[in-house]
Amino acid sequence: ITIAHKASSSNFVVGGIVTDADSHLADVENHAAIDISGPTAGNTNYAYIGGVVAHHALVSNRTNCSNSGDISFSTTSTPTSIAIGGVFTSGVRLNCKNCHNSGDITVGKFGLVNNNENANMVCGGVIARIMDAGQHVTLSNCTNSGDISVDGSNCGGTVYVGGIFANMASSATTLQVVGDATNNNIGI
């Protein structure tokens, strides 16, 4: 998947398999690389890129989902929020089991995030962020063997980077990590 020109949407969402999935997902693999460069979407509200699923799931079980395609993002766009996940960008009330990323994630320089000091860039090897859930979240036997490299020098807010996940909302009641949680190299 290659995107190297301006899109007309106010939001920018790219998934290796699907852009939005609010249901259970099992036994899904993406092997395609995702390459986003150039002035892709102007001044967007958000940019979500996921190796398998790009947008958040409200209530979901994710089982045996994997991404082996490299993800690269470098744009002059200025979204308020950027979330990039090797497998998924985000989840709410999430039960994620045996999900793996082996693709490298490279985030080059991107435009100032609307000059907004509260804007964030979130990048995780398996899942970028766990949203406001107020519920129990389980990550079981999830691994990342891909390298993660992020140039956050132009970000107006905070840059979060994590091997398995990068950020968890403070309202998530509990996080349970079961089994192996392995990770590769991270460079910022």
Side-chain angles (χ1 to χ4, degrees), residues 51-186:
V52 175
V53 179
H55 204 261
H56 71 277
L58 297 177
V59 179
S60 62
N61 290 320
R62 303 288 195 234
T63 305
N64 300 323
C65 296
S66 65
N67 174 58
S68 61
D70 292 343
I71 298 171
S72 62
F73 179 78
S74 179
T75 182
T76 56
S77 296
T78 55
T80 302
S81 175
I82 300 171
I84 300 173
V87 184
F88 315 110
T89 56
S90 57
V92 177
R93 292 175 284 204
L94 181 67
N95 182 12
C96 188
K97 182 177 181 182
N98 298 324
C99 293
H100 310 285
N101 176 56
S102 59
D104 292 341
I105 301 171
T106 304
V107 180
K109 195 171 269 189
F110 48 90
L112 287 170
V113 184
N114 287 340
N115 296 315
N116 181 346
E117 65 184 31
N118 296 315
N120 296 318
M121 191 285 170
V122 185
C123 182
V126 175
I127 185 167
R129 64 180 163 202
I130 298 169
M131 305 288 286
D132 293 343
Q135 301 289 326
H136 184 78
V137 175
T138 301
L139 301 177
S140 179
N141 297 316
C142 295
T143 62
N144 173 47
S145 60
D147 291 339
I148 300 173
S149 175
V150 175
D151 179 351
S153 60
N154 276 5
C155 183
T158 304
V159 176
Y160 298 93
V161 180
I164 303 298
F165 72 95
N167 180 266
M168 184 168 115
S170 60
S171 64
T173 306
T174 59
L175 170 66
Q176 180 181 8
V177 179
V178 180
D180 293 334
T182 61
N183 176 55
N184 212 25
N185 298 317
I186 297 176

Side-chain angles (χ1 to χ4, degrees), residues 2-68:
T2 301
I3 299 173
H5 60 82
K6 187 172 178 113
S8 61
S9 173
S10 65
N11 298 315
F12 190 70
V13 183
V14 177
I17 300 295
V18 65
T19 58
D20 201 344
D22 282 337
S23 60
H24 304 303
L25 197 61
D27 303 315
V28 177
E29 297 179 8
N30 176 50
H31 301 285
I34 298 172
D35 180 18
I36 299 167
S37 61
T40 54
N43 294 328
T44 65
N45 292 326
Y46 57 79
Y48 293 158
I49 299 110
V52 175
V53 179
H55 204 261
H56 71 277
L58 297 177
V59 179
S60 62
N61 290 320
R62 303 288 195 234
T63 305
N64 300 323
C65 296
S66 65
N67 174 58
S68 61

